[in-house]
């Protein structure tokens, strides 16, 4: 299985730790890559009174999320792993539900994204603990940075629904 492929590396983390992290990172890569394409889906298809604000917000979020995709994939390969990051690989491994095609009006897209960003935020937070317990402080640090951002994006989206 590709996610378990490890290459010879001079990185000093023990192989079992690297193997564990490669699996963890590839799972989060799949989720994040799926979240990226779904955020673009919202960016393209949103309609209604708040069109321009939401169209631009969704694009900003997609731009941030694609950065996490790259960082997570590169951490995987730094550890000697094989990053499983094509659209098909990501879609088949993602824990995020498919985007609702019935969403049209702004708040329908916001609700769909809140649900998905909150799920990914929860899973990234859980991954921090897994990386810490495994003994990979750098993966934990990368995930912590992403987690802090994800909490912010959940807020940015959810604030539309809180008043
Ligand atoms: Fe665009």
């Amino acid at each position: 299985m590709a996610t378990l492929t490890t290459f010879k590396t001079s990185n000093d983390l023990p192989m079992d730790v690297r193997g564990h992290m490669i699996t963890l990172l590839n799972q989060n890569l799949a989720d994040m890559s799926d979240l990226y394409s779904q955020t673009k889906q919202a960016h393209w298809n949103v309609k209604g009174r708040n069109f321009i604000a939401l169209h631009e917000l969704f694009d900003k979020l997609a731009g941030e999320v694609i950065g996490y995709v790259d960082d997570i994939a590169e951490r995987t390969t730094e550890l000697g792993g094989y990053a499983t990051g094509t659209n098909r690989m990501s879609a088949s491994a993602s824990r995020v539900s498919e985007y609702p095609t019935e969403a049209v009006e702004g708040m329908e897209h916001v609700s769909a994204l809140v649900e998905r960003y909150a799920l990914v935020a929860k899973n990234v937070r859980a991954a921090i603990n897994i990386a810490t317990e495994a003994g990979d402080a750098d993966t934990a640090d990368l995930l912590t940075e992403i987690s802090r951002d994800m909490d912010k994006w959940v807020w940015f989206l959810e604030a539309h629904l809180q008043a």
Side-chain angles (χ1 to χ4, degrees):
M1 188 171 165
T3 53
L4 299 178
T5 301
T6 48
F7 294 90
K8 199 166 154 33
T9 171
S10 303
N11 186 295
D12 67 301
L13 281 171
M15 190 167 174
D16 63 324
V17 174
R18 288 189 290 105
H20 192 179
M21 291 303 97
I22 290 161
T23 303
L24 181 73
L25 288 159
N26 269 322
Q27 177 63 65
N28 283 276
L29 171 61
D31 297 344
M32 204 59 86
S33 183
D34 194 11
L35 190 67
Y36 167 74
S37 72
Q38 294 202 21
T39 308
K40 276 291 195 180
Q41 182 76 1
H43 165 71
W44 296 320
N45 290 294
V46 66
K47 298 190 189 305
R49 264 188 312 164
N50 299 312
F51 167 76
I52 197 66
L54 292 175
H55 175 71
E56 289 177 1
L57 172 63
F58 298 160
D59 210 30
K60 172 188 164 55
L61 297 186
E64 300 285 344
V65 169
I66 198 68
Y68 312 144
V69 168
D70 201 48
D71 290 343
I72 292 168
E74 290 179 359
R75 181 73 192 152
T76 307
T77 50
E78 281 166 32
L79 295 177
Y82 182 88
T84 49
T86 71
N87 285 350
R88 284 172 219 223
M89 289 170 185
S90 299
S92 69
S94 174
R95 292 171 288 188
V96 181
S97 309
E98 178 57 295
Y99 199 75
T101 52
E102 61 273 21
V104 175
E105 193 275 326
M107 291 311 117
E108 293 172 338
H109 286 285
V110 168
S111 296
L113 290 180
V114 165
E115 194 182 309
R116 286 158 179 76
Y117 273 71
L119 174 74
V120 173
K122 176 185 163 185
N123 289 337
V124 169
R125 202 185 320 281
I128 298 169
N129 293 335
I130 294 169
T132 302
E133 280 164 24
D136 183 353
D138 297 297
T139 294
D141 180 64
L142 171 63
L143 293 168
T144 302
E145 192 181 326
I146 294 171
S147 175
R148 204 166 47 236
D149 277 4
M150 289 303 296
D151 282 352
K152 186 168 159 184
W153 308 141
V154 170
W155 165 47
F156 269 39
L157 289 163
E158 200 169 45
H160 293 89
L161 309 173
Q162 286 173 323

